[in-house]
Amino acid sequence: MDKWDTRWLNLAASKAAWSQDPSTGVAAIVVRDHKFDIASGFNGLPGGMDDGILASLPREAKYEMMIHAEVNAVILSRQNLCGCHMYIHPMSPCGRCASVIAQAGITRVVAPRLHEDSALFRRWEPSLAIGRYVLKACGVELVLV
């Protein structure tokens, strides 16, 4: 990891606090040529929905409506992302997001490595394992730090 990887990952960590999901704040930043911020996203409801409804939604309903940070970043980029990198905090992408990342042409993903004793690891590891599998099968480099 070089200084630019550290900078982008730190920025993603800061933006993760903007997440509308109170239990899993995630942010993703798409970068071109290692230095140009193309787009960023965080977990949230679709534009136009009132964030205030989150407190009253059952967990299952919330997760059906929530757009993951990685997907938000890809959608908001509104451009060809072939060859771009994505920085994600606080964990690597789930299986669905990994598929979107690979399909978008992103070639490298940098994310923190979760500790096996963390609550995030216990809750998300099955989906993160699928994400790692998808990225590897599609030739997307995954750097866990």
Side-chain angles (χ1 to χ4, degrees), residues 75-88:
I75 291 169
L76 295 172
S77 70
R78 293 177 167 71
Q79 62 184 283
N80 182 333
L81 300 180
C82 288
C84 287
H85 296 181
M86 182 177 276
Y87 296 86
I88 307 167

Side-chain angles (χ1 to χ4, degrees), residues 2-3 13 27 32 57 76 86 95 101-102 112 120 126 137-138:
D2 66 15
K3 71 178 182 180
R32 185 177 307 286
L57 287 174
L76 295 172
M86 182 177 276
I101 290 166
L120 279 177
C138 294

Side-chain angles (χ1 to χ4, degrees), residues 62-79:
K62 177 183 81 165
Y63 283 120
E64 284 297 316
M65 290 185 258
M66 191 72 60
I67 301 171
H68 285 195
E70 301 91 330
V71 174
N72 259 330
V74 168
I75 291 169
L76 295 172
S77 70
R78 293 177 167 71
Q79 62 184 283

Side-chain angles (χ1 to χ4, degrees), residues 7-144:
R7 289 172 178 170
W8 291 119
L9 203 52
N10 287 340
L11 184 57
S14 176
K15 287 191 174 200
W18 300 2
S19 172
Q20 296 168 346
D21 184 346
S23 64
T24 310
V26 179
I29 301 172
V30 180
V31 175
R32 185 177 307 286
D33 298 330
H34 216 59
K35 295 182 184 177
F36 301 102
D37 185 346
I38 300 299
S40 61
F42 50 86
N43 289 5
L45 296 172
M49 286 188 81
D50 179 9
D51 301 347
I53 68 165
L54 284 173
S56 64
L57 287 174
R59 186 175 182 90
E60 299 79 27
K62 177 183 81 165
Y63 283 120
E64 284 297 316
M65 290 185 258
M66 191 72 60
I67 301 171
H68 285 195
E70 301 91 330
V71 174
N72 259 330
V74 168
I75 291 169
L76 295 172
S77 70
R78 293 177 167 71
Q79 62 184 283
N80 182 333
L81 300 180
C82 288
C84 287
H85 296 181
M86 182 177 276
Y87 296 86
I88 307 167
H89 194 276
M91 58 188 159
S92 61
C94 68
R96 286 184 181 177
C97 289
S99 295
V100 169
I101 290 166
Q103 188 72 6
I106 293 168
T107 57
R108 184 170 182 261
V109 172
V110 179
R113 180 183 309 276
L114 288 179
H115 295 287
E116 291 182 14
D117 59 346
S118 72
L120 279 177
F121 181 88
R122 288 190 299 274
R123 185 174 353 152
W124 286 99
E125 177 51 24
S127 186
L128 300 181
I130 294 169
R132 290 189 302 270
Y133 173 80
V134 169
L135 294 178
K136 183 175 182 177
C138 294
V140 178
E141 178 186 6
L142 175 61
V143 179
L144 297 175

